[in-house]
Amino acid sequence: MPLAPLLLAPLLGALLLVATAAPAEAAGYRYWSFWRATDTGWAYQQQGPAVSVPPDGAVDGWRFAVSPDGGRDAARPRAATGFAAVCADTPAQEGRKRVAVVLDFGTAADAGSTEAPPEQRTACAAVAPNATSAEVLAAVAPPLRYDTNGLLCAIAGYPRAGCGEQLGGAAAAGGPADGGGHGGPDLGLIAGGALVAVLAGGAVWQTRRRRSS
């Protein structure tokens, strides 16, 4: 076997490892997450609000924030208000259920714009027994805004624009998603350029070797 491939193989392998070793940036999303209060705290809701039917006496919670995809690790509502406190001034009615709603509009850092988030607030909805959480929310916090796929984008008109934007790790640190720079060269491009250089050098070496033999 020619000497050049023997010398090049380990180097090429090392360059390929370098090119693939850069960790993937953790993706986050700016969105409204949906929760329900339990005896032990907030529980993330796997069902969407258009499907979930809260029972009488339930507490639905909503939090706008930048959170990872997957739900359970999303930012929870910061308030821990119970049903009795929220619905104390809303008397029970025959044929209606009462559902407490906690709205946490997040922080200025969550907003991702110059739009100031509203203060946290609570409300008590008196709705039909079969009303979904989406209907509960519409009763106490209009206007709601949805995208074409049915994703809830805004509660009480907040935010005015955007819907579930994906943000990478670079965006959180001032990367391209928020108008900043990369902050450094791309490792994959460097490794790819080095690989091309090595292959070119090997080809030149082989050509000179053939001419001299």
Side-chain angles (χ1 to χ4, degrees):
M1 185 176 182
L3 181 60
L6 288 174
L7 294 173
L8 289 173
L11 182 56
L12 293 179
L15 286 169
L16 289 173
L17 285 174
V18 169
T20 57
E25 292 176 345
Y29 298 82
R30 183 177 287 114
Y31 65 100
W32 280 101
S33 58
F34 176 36
W35 304 82
R36 184 158 296 145
T38 69
D39 292 337
T40 58
W42 291 108
Y44 181 80
Q45 296 304 285
Q46 301 289 348
Q47 290 184 317
V51 177
S52 176
V53 178
D56 182 59
V59 180
D60 281 355
W62 295 88
R63 171 70 190 271
F64 186 76
V66 175
S67 299
D69 192 19
R72 294 184 183 278
D73 294 327
R76 291 166 168 76
R78 290 168 291 175
T81 309
F83 173 81
V86 176
C87 291
D89 296 329
T90 304
Q93 304 174 41
E94 185 70 25
R96 309 286 282 179
K97 69 180 177 183
R98 292 179 299 165
V99 178
V101 179
V102 175
L103 300 176
D104 187 339
F105 294 86
T107 66
D110 293 324
S113 69
T114 57
E115 184 179 4
E119 294 294 327
Q120 299 179 61
R121 68 178 192 243
T122 61
C124 185
V127 292
N130 61 348
T132 65
S133 287
E135 293 170 316
V136 167
L137 191 59
V140 297
L144 307 181
R145 177 167 58 87
Y146 292 87
D147 72 359
T148 55
N149 296 314
L151 177 66
L152 180 61
C153 306
I155 296 175
Y158 182 82
R160 289 190 296 267
C163 193
E165 301 94 340
Q166 182 176 2
L167 307 172
D178 62 358
H182 284 282
D186 187 288
L187 185 58
L189 291 177
I190 292 174
L195 183 60
V196 170
V198 169
L199 290 173
V204 171
W205 184 87
Q206 287 280 21
T207 300
R208 289 178 178 175
R209 183 172 177 276
R210 291 193 188 98
R211 287 177 179 176
S212 62
S213 59

